[in-house]
Every structure is written in C-alpha cells, then in structure tokens.
Amino acid sequence: MAYPAYAQRARDISPAPLVADLDGLIWFGSGDAYPEILPDLGDVALRAAREFRTETLQYAPRGGLPELREWIAGYLAADGIRLTPDSILIVNGAKHGIELACKLFLDPGDAIAVGRPTYQSALGIFRSWQIELIEVGGDDDGLDVAELETRLLERARTGRRAPKLIYEMPEFHNPTGVTLSEARRRALLDIAERHDLLILEDDPYRRIRFEGQPVPPLSSLDGGGRVVSLGTFSKLLAPGIRVGWVAAAPDIVGRMAALKADGGSCPFTQRMIIEYCRAGRFEPHIAAAAKAYASQRDVMAQAVAREIPGARFRLPSGGYYLWVRLPDGIDTDQLLTSAHTHGVDFLPASRFYATPGPRNYLRLAYSYAPPTELMDGVRRLGKALRQSPPRP
Amino acid sequence: MAYPAYAQRARDISPAPLVADLDGLIWFGSGDAYPEILPDLGDVALRAAREFRTETLQYAPRGGLPELREWIAGYLAADGIRLTPDSILIVNGAKHGIELACKLFLDPGDAIAVGRPTYQSALGIFRSWQIELIEVGGDDDGLDVAELETRLLERARTGRRAPKLIYEMPEFHNPTGVTLSEARRRALLDIAERHDLLILEDDPYRRIRFEGQPVPPLSSLDGGGRVVSLGTFSKLLAPGIRVGWVAAAPDIVGRMAALKADGGSCPFTQRMIIEYCRAGRFEPHIAAAAKAYASQRDVMAQAVAREIPGARFRLPSGGYYLWVRLPDGIDTDQLLTSAHTHGVDFLPASRFYATPGPRNYLRLAYSYAPPTELMDGVRRLGKALRQSPPRP
C-alpha cells in the first residue's frame, strides 16, 4: 500500500506523542506559568458565558473581537508602537502567528535567518515548511547583526537566494535570555531595509522584566513597514488561554486573515481577556508575575551555582529560562536520559540549533516548579551530571 | 520595493476583511447557531476557571485533554466507529482539521477530488495549498461515485496524477443538504481501496437530523484505514467554542499533532465541554437543537415556496441550509448586491464551485435568524429578485 502518501514536508516528521509522559518528573522543560500566580478568571468566564453568550458562542469576526484588537493597539502604543486596530489580527497564540507568517511568505526552498540558538518551537514550525535556515550567532548584546550582514553579502556574491524573513526574539531571548541592544535593533532594521527583508519579531516575554530598562521593540523603531510583530497573552495571563496577535501592515494582516483556516479565533477566551483587562486587573497581575518570576530566577540561579560545579550562565533580566553551559564534553542529550532516571526534565541544547551545534548547553525553565522543586530538581540534575562523566 | 514577497500560495489571495460589515442585514449567509438554543455554559466555565485552574490555564497536551478524547471515542462508538483515544486529535474546529490534512498530505501540484458544489470554507483552504481540484457532480443520493471512478480511470489513462484525497461531507452536505446513501458510501470506500486514495470525511451536521434514519458514517464502514474523519462541537454545542477533532489511524493523527503549530488546543474550552457532557446535558441539548432547526427549516422552506416563485429546492432532513435553485439566467452574484440593498445576506452559487458553475443557485442558512426574520428576509429576497430580472 502506497498510502499514507505524506507530503514532502511531512515525510521526515515523526508522529508526536499526544500526551507527553513526564509524570513524576520535576519540570524544567516547558515554559508553563508559575501555578501560584495563575489569575482567577472565574468571574470573567462566567460573564463571557452569560452576559456575552450570543457573542462568545457564535463565530467570531475573522480578525478577532474588535474590542480586543483595540485594547492591544493601546497596549502596544505604550511601547511606542503606533498601529491602528486594522493592523492587528487575533491568533491562537504566537506560534500560530509564526505558522501564518510561514504560510504567507515562504515557498519551499526559500530561506529565513534565525539565531543560533533559537526558540525550539519556532524551529519545529520552520522545519515543516521545507525551507533553508540560515543561522546567525550572537553574544551578550543579542543577535550578531554584523555576522548577519556578512552572510547576506556572501549569499548575494555566490548567487544564493536571500532570506525572506529574519526571525528574532529580541527581548529575553528563548533560550539565551539575552536582550538585543537598541543599537543592534537599529542596525537590524537598517539591514532589513537595505537587503529588502522582513523581520518577524517574537516578543512574548517583554513585560516579564525583573530589572533594568526596556529597549524599544523593533516594531516601534520600524519606519519602513518591515516588522511583523507577534504577541501573546500566554506569558501575560495564562498559556492555556491560547490568544495571541500579529501586528503588521494591514495588507499583510488581511492576507494572514484570509489564510487563517479556522476563520475567527475563539471569542469566548477573547471576551474573558477583554473583561479582565478592562477591570484594571492586567497591570497588577503583570507586576505580581514579574516579581514572582524574579524570585524564581534567583532560587534556581543560586541552586545551579551551588549544585552544579562548572555550570556557567548569564543571569537573565527577564523571561522564564536559564541557558546553562556545562563543561565541554558533556552531551546534554545523554544527560537528559540520566536526568529522567533522577526525576528531572529539561531541554537539551540540540533542540535549539537548526544544524548540529554545541551539546553542552541546556535550558532550565524556572517558571513552573515551586521553589522547593527548583532546589530539589537542580540537586537531582547535579547528581545526574556527576554520574554521567564527560566523554573522553 | 519587492516586499512583501508573498509565497506562491498567497499571491492570488485578497486580504480578508477583519470584521464582516453585515450590520443591519438579515443573516442567511453564515452557519451560526440559533441564538435561543445556545447552551448556558456559565457553570462549566466557572468550574473550568476555578476547580481546574492549573489544568485549563496551562499548556494542554498536544493531542488535547485525554478525558475529552475518551469522551469523543465513546461518542463515535455509538455510531459504530471503533477507535481508541490515540486515534483522536483535538483541533480548533473542523476547518483546522482540513488545514492539517492539507499540510500532512498535499504537495503543490497534487490533486484532490471534491463535490460540485462543495463547502465554501473547505474550498478556500484547498485553494491556499496550490492543488488541483477535481470536481465530481452529485444527485439526490449524494456524490456521483460512478463519475468519480470514470474521472479516476480517465486520469490514469492520460497519465495525470491521481488525487490523494477525496473530500466529502456525506451527511446533510453543505450546501446541498443531501445525504450520501449507504450503497454509495460502500462504493466510495471500494474506490478508495482500489485506487489507493484517502477519504476526508467531514461530518459536522450528523446529529442535526430532523427525520429518517442516520446512515453509517464512512469511518464506521472503513476496513482499510482509508478514512480521516472530522468532527466538531461547533454544530453540536456552539460555533464559538472552537473545539473539533480529527479521527484517523494513530500514525496519521500523531503526524498531524507534530504539524499542529499551536501545540495543544485551548484546554479551557475543552474542560468546559468535558464538564458539560459529563453532567448529562449533551444529549438533551442535541435533541432540543435538532427540534429547533427542524422548525426553522420549515419556516424558511414555506417562506421560499410562498415568496419566490420559480425557486426549487430539496427539503433537507437535517443540517442548517436550503440550497435553492432559481430560474435559469439569474446570476446570484448580481442578486447578492441587490439583496444587500434590500437588507438580506446569503451566499451565492459561485462560492461553492471550484471552477465556474451554474450561477442560479444560492445557499440560505435557516440556522441563525429568528422565525420572523426568516419570513421577512425571504420576502426581501423575493423583492430583490423581482427587481433583478434574469439576464436576456
């Protein structure tokens, strides 16, 4: 039997488990929210179901509920992003926005530029579109834009296709935690303009800042309509709510809406968010969340320094993750197997590189586990590490 | 400026309006639910937000909540569909399932077979995948499977690519309202087996039956794993809830899960459905809904017979729509403009044909408007028609 005859893009993709089997493990793998700060959405859920029943239980407008698009426009304006609501499309989380950008812009064989390392879920989506991934390194100031330009010029010289998009998480990068400096942001926009590229700016952690001053978003500095920006309530309110947005020029957003196969996203959860934000509960919640994650970061950072000799990491000023470098020779894919037997989960370096890269990094999420588990999990990790000596 | 450089699939797609401007019109266009029978989900929303907070506000398992997948397996078993929960993937409505089937199975240049006419939203999704659409006609027994086989043999003879999928809505077809007979279903499965095709069975209206006996779903008759079946709570509970499912062989479902860019669908609305169904409210709701839609159908059918001389239609035994044939020479695209000035909206024939077809049909949804508006809207339509004489 020839069937199932999968499309080219699906032939190398393994079936995903429908439910991850992580029972009994301490979770440092996933960017779930800290359970204690999940908001009480009971009253807004009740209002969505009762007062707004004929709105929330019918099909929503394709672009999303207008009131939510207006609220988001106001939210973005506070960051200097001047967009009208017709530039805002509601989607099912920022990953859905990445998918729509791929569908709108990318043909098989096209190229996009990504950081090295970069967000593992974005990589998964990009891989499913059969495109070439051009990896660009970085340092403490974020993506190395000079390297990016060198790569672009080199490709032009050798007749290779220019990338259509640059995917970047400029604020509290996942996994590295680094924030792209303002000078680099301006340089990146300049490169995009000169080389005729679009920037896909993925900015979920912006408001989860523990210290220091925020840097203007790429979309606030964008004079040429080159930035397609992604936001989400996943990291602002709750991951499970599955409401995010794309902010871009109206003709881009309108075409994404046309390609959005589900029609309008769920109006029920959109209405819950509108009522929550309008009641003035958004800002206090964000402030409490940032405070909680700062404390979580400190607990985990101290535990890593104490329990894992030789571990090195930057202390991130925001976001959910520590990106930890272990001594050379450690293979974190192998370490993961051993860590599971010790009762702790994390994401190994290999998940974050488009092509094979260093193996001695791992991403530890401090977002989800309570402080006692942060300490216990890091201790278990240290134990797993001591029992997995580096390869010779 | 070369940008935005849209992908091939997006170049012919016009931006979609983010909000449809149908204010003040009587709505016969969209398959929204009858507002009076929208369920009260207040208590289950409250429980989802409070009792299940740490489940509903965190990321869900990629396949969906296991309890919902189990409930769906039981629901399908009542129709003779024997599937374990590892064959069921939760998606954001059935259209999302169509999109995932396209992504999993279709390369540019591939072909799929569809009815002539067929569901307009499915057509929109198929068109965005740059594939060839092979249209097959039908009659009172549904899709003309003999014509399908003739087309397949002709393509084989002339060296053209066989379709990979057949898309079919066998029960209360949208827009025609026709149900595919059991004999034709068996013949269709036989053709799929002999010609090595998959069937994408889209079955949203099955339980909205007004009279007569249900016909076994294709997936219940499928001995060879050839059916990928789509279901949704949109037509069972509420369109806005955006929860549907794909039921297929586990390796198909697992690969769709891997391609599902949003990770897991919204656990909040999934939990609302679980609690609603477990409380024994699902069956009484469906019975009430079918009764309401039967009455709606009768009101509209009588109004069309009375107000639109020359209109012909089959009285559907279920579903949401009348598929009305107007006298030859009427162009329903033109009629729509005139109907809007008379205050009524509908979908013209052109939306349902992959290639230009008859223009003198229209789809009237009786699902949404209250009885007085059903009568008033059809009256307005009659008036618009009298003022738009047939082309010479």
Side-chain angles (χ1 to χ4, degrees):
Chain A
M1 179 168 122
Y3 268 95
Y6 296 121
Q8 201 64 46
R9 73 179 67 79
R11 285 194 195 143
D12 298 332
I13 287 184
S14 306
L18 300 184
V19 179
D21 184 15
L22 296 169
D23 276 2
L25 299 183
I26 293 177
W27 263 24
F28 296 159
S30 152
D32 278 83
Y34 188 45
E36 298 294 317
I37 58 115
L38 287 171
D40 178 357
L41 298 178
D43 59 330
V44 295
L46 192 62
R47 294 187 61 197
R50 299 234 163 107
E51 284 174 51
F52 295 93
R53 187 188 322 194
T54 57
E55 171 194 79
T56 59
L57 298 189
Q58 298 283 21
Y59 292 111
R62 190 171 268 271
L65 295 184
E67 291 164 73
L68 183 58
R69 290 166 45 232
E70 276 158 36
W71 188 89
I72 291 167
Y75 171 80
L76 295 177
D79 274 335
I81 303 168
R82 289 165 302 277
L83 289 174
T84 52
D86 63 342
S87 287
I88 292 161
L89 173 70
I90 303 297
V91 293
N92 309 322
K95 284 181 279 207
H96 188 202
I98 297 175
E99 173 86 354
L100 286 170
C102 290
K103 194 169 179 191
L104 182 60
F105 292 113
L106 301 177
D107 286 310
D110 275 346
I112 71 166
V114 298
R116 178 174 172 80
T118 191
Y119 174 37
Q120 85 285 357
S121 294
L123 265 187
I125 296 170
F126 295 142
R127 284 190 172 120
S128 75
W129 289 90
Q130 298 171 258
I131 52 170
E132 183 188 0
L133 290 160
I134 303 167
E135 293 177 280
V136 178
D139 57 24
D140 284 353
D141 282 336
L143 191 80
D144 184 342
V145 294
E147 179 185 334
L148 171 65
E149 179 137 44
T150 305
R151 302 289 300 275
L152 295 175
L153 293 171
E154 184 186 291
R155 288 180 74 89
R157 218 173 25 244
T158 53
R160 274 175 299 169
R161 213 185 282 211
K164 278 185 167 175
L165 293 174
I166 301 162
Y167 171 77
E168 171 63 351
M169 202 180 272
E171 201 92 358
F172 315 128
H173 182 277
N174 181 353
T176 67
V178 167
T179 291
L180 190 66
S181 70
E182 182 169 343
R184 293 248 178 115
R185 292 183 194 218
R186 293 188 185 277
L188 183 59
L189 283 159
D190 182 54
I191 290 173
E193 193 65 33
R194 284 184 289 106
H195 291 268
D196 203 15
L197 316 170
L198 287 176
I199 300 170
L200 186 56
E201 177 181 37
D202 190 0
D203 206 8
Y205 300 104
R206 179 169 186 77
R207 294 294 303 277
I208 310 299
R209 174 174 277 280
F210 312 142
E211 56 241 346
Q213 289 306 308
V215 183
L218 285 158
S219 46
S220 75
L221 304 172
D222 176 26
R226 299 224 160 251
V227 178
V228 176
S229 175
L230 306 173
T232 178
F233 288 97
S234 293
K235 306 300 177 186
L236 298 173
L237 281 185
I241 213 79
R242 307 314 303 133
V243 175
W245 65 86
V246 179
D251 63 318
I252 289 178
V253 150
R255 279 192 173 79
M256 281 190 183
L259 292 173
K260 191 171 179 294
D262 62 355
S265 291
C266 177
F268 196 96
T269 45
Q270 291 182 60
R271 173 52 65 185
M272 286 168 61
I273 294 171
I274 294 168
E275 297 305 305
Y276 185 86
C277 293
R278 279 207 182 141
R281 289 153 73 184
F282 179 78
E283 288 297 335
H285 172 75
I286 286 293
K291 205 171 149 192
Y293 290 119
S295 161
Q296 293 279 101
R297 172 201 65 174
D298 291 341
V299 172
M300 183 179 259
Q302 286 157 20
V304 171
R306 192 171 55 236
E307 304 285 349
I308 308 183
R312 291 171 54 189
F313 57 89
R314 290 182 196 91
L315 195 70
S317 300
Y320 279 22
Y321 311 106
L322 288 192
W323 180 239
V324 178
R325 180 181 176 160
L326 297 178
D328 291 347
I330 299 284
D331 180 334
T332 52
D333 279 336
Q334 290 179 13
L335 179 63
L336 183 61
T337 308
S338 159
H340 280 181
T341 68
H342 284 84
V344 60
D345 185 48
F346 66 83
L347 293 191
S350 59
R351 300 286 299 276
F352 301 92
Y353 291 92
T355 56
R359 314 281 286 188
N360 58 324
Y361 284 80
L362 49 83
R363 191 192 78 174
L364 299 178
Y366 48 76
S367 57
Y368 174 73
T372 52
E373 285 195 7
L374 289 180
M375 290 185 283
D376 186 29
V378 171
R379 205 174 299 123
R380 289 160 186 250
L381 194 57
K383 209 166 157 190
L385 194 57
R386 283 189 296 279
Q387 293 174 9
S388 318
R391 288 171 301 172
Chain B
M1 178 168 119
Y3 269 94
Y6 295 121
Q8 202 63 46
R9 73 179 67 79
R11 287 197 193 140
D12 298 331
I13 287 184
S14 306
L18 299 185
V19 180
D21 183 15
L22 296 169
D23 275 2
L25 299 184
I26 293 176
W27 264 23
F28 296 160
S30 152
D32 278 83
Y34 188 45
E36 298 294 318
I37 57 114
L38 287 171
D40 178 357
L41 299 178
D43 59 330
V44 294
L46 193 61
R47 295 188 61 198
R50 299 232 164 109
E51 283 173 51
F52 295 92
R53 188 189 319 195
T54 56
E55 171 195 79
T56 59
L57 297 188
Q58 298 282 21
Y59 293 110
R62 190 171 268 271
L65 295 184
E67 291 163 74
L68 184 59
R69 290 165 46 231
E70 276 158 35
W71 188 89
I72 292 167
Y75 171 80
L76 296 177
D79 275 336
I81 302 168
R82 288 165 303 277
L83 289 173
T84 51
D86 64 341
S87 286
I88 292 162
L89 173 71
I90 303 297
V91 293
N92 310 321
K95 284 181 280 207
H96 187 201
I98 297 175
E99 173 87 354
L100 286 170
C102 289
K103 195 170 179 190
L104 181 60
F105 293 113
L106 302 177
D107 286 309
D110 275 346
I112 71 166
V114 299
R116 178 173 171 83
T118 191
Y119 175 37
Q120 85 285 357
S121 294
L123 265 187
I125 295 170
F126 295 143
R127 283 188 172 121
S128 75
W129 289 90
Q130 299 170 260
I131 51 169
E132 183 188 1
L133 290 160
I134 303 167
E135 293 177 280
V136 178
D139 57 25
D140 284 352
D141 282 335
L143 191 80
D144 185 342
V145 293
E147 180 185 334
L148 171 65
E149 179 137 44
T150 304
R151 301 291 298 279
L152 295 176
L153 293 171
E154 185 185 291
R155 288 180 75 89
R157 220 176 21 246
T158 54
R160 274 175 299 170
R161 212 185 284 212
K164 278 186 167 175
L165 293 175
I166 301 163
Y167 171 77
E168 171 62 351
M169 202 180 272
E171 201 92 358
F172 315 129
H173 182 276
N174 181 354
T176 67
V178 167
T179 291
L180 190 66
S181 69
E182 183 169 342
R184 292 247 178 116
R185 292 182 195 219
R186 293 189 185 276
L188 183 58
L189 283 159
D190 182 54
I191 289 173
E193 193 64 35
R194 283 184 289 107
H195 291 268
D196 203 15
L197 316 170
L198 287 177
I199 300 171
L200 186 56
E201 176 180 37
D202 190 1
D203 206 8
Y205 300 104
R206 179 169 187 78
R207 294 293 305 275
I208 310 298
R209 173 175 278 280
F210 312 142
E211 56 243 344
Q213 289 305 309
V215 183
L218 285 158
S219 46
S220 75
L221 304 171
D222 176 25
R226 300 224 160 250
V227 178
V228 176
S229 177
L230 306 173
T232 178
F233 288 97
S234 293
K235 308 299 178 186
L236 298 174
L237 281 185
I241 214 79
R242 308 314 303 134
V243 175
W245 66 86
V246 179
D251 62 319
I252 290 177
V253 151
R255 280 192 172 79
M256 282 190 183
L259 292 173
K260 191 170 180 293
D262 62 355
S265 289
C266 177
F268 196 95
T269 46
Q270 291 182 61
R271 173 53 63 186
M272 285 168 62
I273 294 172
I274 295 168
E275 296 306 304
Y276 186 84
C277 293
R278 280 207 182 140
R281 289 153 72 183
F282 179 78
E283 288 297 335
H285 173 75
I286 286 291
K291 205 172 149 191
Y293 290 119
S295 162
Q296 293 279 101
R297 173 201 64 176
D298 291 341
V299 172
M300 182 178 258
Q302 286 157 21
V304 171
R306 192 170 55 235
E307 304 285 348
I308 308 183
R312 292 170 55 190
F313 58 89
R314 290 183 196 89
L315 195 69
S317 301
Y320 278 23
Y321 311 106
L322 288 191
W323 179 238
V324 178
R325 180 181 176 161
L326 298 177
D328 291 347
I330 300 283
D331 180 334
T332 51
D333 278 336
Q334 291 179 12
L335 180 62
L336 183 62
T337 309
S338 159
H340 279 182
T341 69
H342 285 84
V344 59
D345 185 49
F346 66 84
L347 293 192
S350 59
R351 301 285 299 276
F352 301 91
Y353 291 92
T355 57
R359 313 282 286 190
N360 57 324
Y361 285 80
L362 51 83
R363 190 192 79 173
L364 299 177
Y366 49 76
S367 56
Y368 174 74
T372 52
E373 285 195 8
L374 289 180
M375 291 185 283
D376 186 29
V378 171
R379 204 174 299 123
R380 287 160 187 250
L381 195 57
K383 209 166 156 190
L385 194 57
R386 284 191 294 280
Q387 293 173 12
S388 317
R391 287 170 302 173

